[in-house]
Amino acid sequence: MILLTGGLGYLGSHMAAQIIEQGHEVVLVDNLSNSQFAVLDRLSKLTGRVIPFVQIDVRDKAGLQQVFSQYPITQVVHFAGSKSVNESIQQPLDYYDNNVNGLISLLYVMKEAQVKTIVFSSTAAIYGEPEALPIPESSRQAPITPYGRSKQICEQVLQDLAHAEKGWKIAVLRYFNPAGAHPSGIIGEVPNGIPNNLVPYIAQVARDERPFLQVFGSDYNTVDGTGVRDFIHVQDLIDGHSKALAWLATQPQVFDTFNLGRGEGVSVKQMLDAFSKAVGREIPYKVVARRDGDSASVYADASHANALLGWQATRTVDQMAVDTWRFYENLV
Ligand code: WQD
């Protein structure tokens, strides 16, 4: 049985759907700080299954111990964590507590339960300003926000644990820019509050929930002056997690790190154009000042995941826009 922490979140819920579609058993935990309980019903509607869910915070060791004693967990995918780059600048303590202490609490309980397989959600934010493009896993790590630094510390904790104790099977996945939604339109990304990320913000403008998109700068040295990112469809990202779990099962013990990106840079303006096509009308936007902490261009060298996991992103930016819009236009 696979435990998904953050299981009602954007990535967690999409992973839950895929694991069930693959015929595996799953149990979800989530503290609902950036997700909604309603997602559980949507998942049941999508999969036709009642899915075990426990509302706890991963820092609650006793609660986690209870889950491990109640369910025959053999592998863990750790999605739970705080992930807003600019929020982390305002609330560093919360980010280090949630992301670092949350992981340590989980690892202690896993160790006690003799469960030593974990896939960990990390981030391209760990690289900071890229020293070269595309970015390989060996690239210099110079995170510039508490969010990126908290994930860097988590990776170090995992690497040191793998070095200290035999039997750990650990895959660290560094996400670039997740976007899109399950093709059914039943689950997708529903951030609490004002979205920090580009794609959910565009979707809310398309729903007339926001007047226009603020484009943070159009004077970058990029194809059209707007920021360039490696947007990757959430379904491709989830495929990468499934491949990582399958690969870990073939290893006696291992620690490795993988970039999960498409390996192609797409600009804010190009994403806007893809959405206008998907929605069937222009998305209003205004160019404003650059946002602190933003790089001009970020995109992945994902060849390591391809070589070792046999994984390759296949879905396009247009599909990300179409799938996101299908979810949002039905969202009540
Ligand atoms: C993308 C581009 C903005 C909002 C994300 C995640 C982070 C990590 C890395 C997973 C930039 C521009 C955005 C808006 C805009 N992923 N933008 N107007 O900053 O690349 O970081 O990917 O761990 O967790 O946050 O993503 O979507 O915020 O920005 O113009 O209202 O869109 O300037 O060029 P970012 P983002």
Side-chain angles (χ1 to χ4, degrees):
M1 178 178 260
I2 300 170
L3 167 65
L4 302 184
T5 70
L8 291 185
Y10 177 34
L11 296 180
S13 57
H14 285 77
M15 184 74 188
Q18 180 163 104
I19 288 173
I20 291 167
E21 280 159 18
Q22 289 170 345
H24 302 305
E25 294 297 312
V26 71
V27 52
L28 314 180
V29 298
D30 202 304
N31 69 0
L32 300 181
S33 63
N34 192 26
S35 56
Q36 293 86 27
F37 183 71
V39 173
L40 193 62
D41 288 341
R42 292 196 201 126
L43 274 173
S44 290
K45 180 180 167 194
L46 178 61
T47 61
R49 300 272 302 278
V50 175
I51 299 162
F53 166 69
V54 183
Q55 182 177 348
I56 57 161
D57 186 305
V58 288
R59 289 165 288 187
D60 168 10
K61 262 198 214 150
L64 268 182
Q65 283 161 340
Q66 180 62 30
V67 172
F68 276 81
S69 60
Q70 199 173 344
Y71 296 96
I73 294 161
T74 53
Q75 298 165 302
V76 176
V77 183
H78 183 38
F79 290 111
S82 306
K83 63 142 190 151
S84 163
V85 171
N86 46 24
E87 185 186 57
S88 75
I89 296 167
Q90 323 303 330
Q91 302 164 20
L93 283 184
D94 293 346
Y95 269 68
Y96 287 113
D97 184 26
N98 194 20
N99 293 351
V100 181
N101 289 338
L103 173 67
I104 291 170
S105 162
L106 172 65
L107 292 173
Y108 267 125
V109 175
M110 287 177 69
K111 179 180 153 88
E112 254 172 37
Q114 283 301 299
V115 175
K116 293 194 164 187
T117 299
I118 180 171
V119 172
F120 175 68
S121 283
S122 192
T123 172
I126 206 167
Y127 297 116
E129 189 63 38
E131 59 180 344
L133 289 169
I135 306 173
E137 288 83 355
S138 58
S139 179
R140 177 202 60 191
Q141 294 179 21
I144 54 175
T145 62
Y147 167 69
R149 283 191 281 271
S150 73
K151 289 291 188 176
Q152 184 180 39
I153 295 168
C154 288
E155 290 195 14
Q156 198 57 66
V157 165
L158 289 162
Q159 189 164 30
D160 291 345
L161 177 63
H163 180 73
E165 288 182 19
K166 289 193 177 313
W168 283 93
K169 304 178 183 190
I170 301 173
V172 170
L173 306 182
R174 291 180 184 157
Y175 308 154
F176 281 69
N177 290 60
H182 191 274
S184 66
I186 296 172
I187 55 173
E189 181 179 16
V190 189
N192 291 346
I194 300 173
N196 289 293
N197 290 137
L198 177 69
V199 170
Y201 201 104
I202 292 176
Q204 291 187 7
V205 173
R207 277 169 56 95
D208 300 324
E209 287 173 2
R210 308 217 183 265
F212 55 86
L213 171 77
Q214 294 182 99
V215 174
F216 297 136
S218 63
D219 57 349
Y220 286 104
N221 180 19
T222 63
V223 61
D224 56 26
T226 63
V228 166
R229 293 293 183 275
D230 187 332
F231 295 99
I232 175 169
H233 198 292
V234 63
Q235 294 297 107
D236 279 329
L237 209 53
I238 294 311
D239 290 346
H241 287 68
S242 295
K243 296 263 189 187
L245 283 172
W247 176 70
L248 288 177
T250 67
Q251 305 297 309
Q253 60 184 27
V254 70
F255 173 92
D256 208 343
T257 303
F258 302 91
N259 285 338
L260 294 190
R262 284 191 323 124
E264 182 194 348
V266 170
S267 77
V268 172
K269 187 72 183 58
Q270 289 166 338
M271 182 57 86
L272 265 172
D273 293 344
F275 255 89
S276 296
K277 214 167 26 170
V279 175
R281 64 180 184 279
E282 286 307 305
I283 307 283
Y285 70 91
K286 278 182 188 162
V287 177
V288 298
R290 292 182 176 190
R291 180 175 66 176
D292 284 350
D294 273 352
S295 309
S297 287
V298 177
Y299 54 91
D301 171 351
S303 55
H304 186 50
N306 184 254
L308 228 57
L309 306 181
W311 173 84
Q312 178 85 37
T314 59
R315 295 161 178 93
T316 64
V317 169
D318 283 338
Q319 279 173 284
M320 292 175 217
V322 166
D323 291 342
T324 302
W325 182 235
R326 184 185 302 112
F327 170 68
Y328 268 90
E329 66 178 344
N330 301 317
L331 196 59
V332 290

